[in-house]
Amino acid sequence: MFSKFGSSGIRGVANTEITPQLALNFGLAVGSVYREVVIGHDPRIAGEMIEHAVISGLLSAGCKVLRAGMVPTPTLALTSKVHGCGIMITASHNPARYIGMKVFKDGMSLDTGQQEEIEDLLENEKFTRADWEETGHLDVFGTAIKEHSEIILKNTGSSDLKVVVDCGCGAASVITPYILREMGCVVITLNSQPDGHFPGRQPEPIDENLKLLKSTVKAAGADLGIAHDGDADRMMAVDDQGRFVSGDKMLAFFAVREARKAIAVPVDTSRVVDDMLNGIKISRTKVGDVYVAETLKKIKGEFGGEPSGAWIFPKISLCPDGIYAAAKLVEIVEHEGRFSRLLGSIPEYPVKRGAFPCQDRKKAMTIIAERLERLGEMDTLDGIRVDIDDGWILVRPSGTEPKIRITVESQDRCEELYEKAEEIVKGAIA
Ligand code: MG
């Protein structure tokens, strides 16, 4: 049975890989560990089907269940600070046919140990079923959005900027435009009607999916544009010139303003962050926002982020919060001036990325390691990273697909280093 937790919970195609039967067992497994659970879903078509099955499992285990309805992931995560555990039914930025389940505790995604506990119960069907008279209760939890909004508004100032918000027909539709209006912004919305078919654009907030946002920011003469993924834990931005802001730049933009002593970023993050944050301890983690959150908790850092658009502000929670990030960005631009000018002070180093199909990733990585070792000192935190004087090469097996990925960053020799890495990878998978 498909039941492996990835770094983002369980995810797959709705009703083939992720079935109500699996969801029922998942509910039983989580309910065997936690006594009270808040459950929510994004607008995906299969969301309610899976939610009902998970709820049945939770109730069967004797759990108290609170239904938050359609909410963003960071909104749901926040409720787990008070209510023991949160389950979000979402497939984040994946295409519409996908669905998944992600568990939160104390405002953050389950750590590796907690995930393994649920996974073991699920795989071995070691469920605790309640006696007939002790099966659980179901209640409505109608204040999740209000509570999240209040926390965000308390931590940001007012603004009269003109902002275009593209919610991608995802869960952000029910919160981000309202919060920005509450702050005083003039808000123009795009794709802000929740729709599980995602008719406006693909849910991933990457440059190629945001043509409408870019052109609208320009046409409306707006100060900036905001884009979310399907469940709004991610946020990406467009500047006042209608240009997409890269993830590395956005990360540095937040990091220089939030960092006091320590931050956490994944191993594929640009050296721009190191060059801009003198005196700040920068911990590198495996790729995946869960690992960034785990490290942040350990080092008690003030900020963590992933260039994919996941920004973690521990003073709110250890779940990436695209909605708070949007409000925070608006506040910064309100106080510091034109977004494009602020971005102009952040350097951008040439980066090249590629992916190569590979069935036996383990074998290939052994060969790759032998060859990369000759280039410089190796770091094996996640895949293999080799730091060279004027840049670095990262070769890592994909966690979700049969592929090996290359990332290269270098001021002057990006192309040359990439070719070298490509030759090594191709030689190892031949
Ligand atoms: Mg997401």
Side-chain angles (χ1 to χ4, degrees), residues 73 90 92-93 229-234:
T73 293
T90 176
S92 188
H93 56 280
D229 70 333
D231 62 331
D233 56 347
R234 290 192 190 182

Side-chain angles (χ1 to χ4, degrees), residues 257-408:
R257 288 166 176 85
E258 295 293 315
R260 296 288 171 271
K261 288 192 179 124
I263 67 163
V265 295
V267 68
D268 63 344
T269 300
S270 170
R271 273 189 187 174
V272 168
V273 175
D274 305 73
D275 294 349
M276 290 194 73
L277 291 172
N278 274 330
I280 303 287
K281 183 178 157 41
I282 301 171
S283 296
R284 283 202 152 68
T285 74
K286 284 188 181 185
V287 175
D289 61 69
V290 177
Y291 304 115
V292 176
E294 270 183 52
T295 304
L296 269 181
K297 192 176 173 184
K298 222 174 287 165
I299 64 170
K300 297 192 171 62
E302 302 89 18
F303 176 75
E306 228 189 13
S308 61
W311 319 119
I312 303 177
F313 303 87
K315 72 174 170 200
I316 305 294
S317 79
L318 282 165
C319 172
D321 190 337
I323 304 144
Y324 176 70
K328 191 75 207 167
L329 172 59
V330 165
E331 185 196 59
I332 293 167
V333 175
E334 171 70 40
H335 283 120
E336 298 183 23
R338 284 175 84 82
F339 192 21
S340 54
R341 189 177 56 76
L342 300 177
L343 291 166
S345 65
I346 302 171
E348 200 157 10
Y349 302 157
V351 173
K352 190 162 178 179
R353 296 187 161 92
F356 300 86
C358 174
Q359 288 308 323
D360 193 343
R361 284 168 283 179
K362 208 171 165 192
K363 186 177 146 209
M365 286 306 292
T366 312
I367 303 171
I368 290 165
E370 284 167 12
R371 296 180 188 167
L372 279 177
E373 206 174 6
R374 295 174 208 150
L375 299 182
E377 202 180 322
M378 295 204 302
D379 180 333
T380 54
L381 180 65
D382 192 359
I384 302 164
R385 175 168 158 147
V386 183
D387 273 84
I388 305 156
D389 293 342
D390 60 343
W392 50 270
I393 297 171
L394 174 70
V395 180
R396 54 179 285 272
S398 163
T400 51
E401 296 168 283
K403 280 181 185 168
I404 288 185
R405 296 183 188 283
I406 300 177
T407 312
V408 172

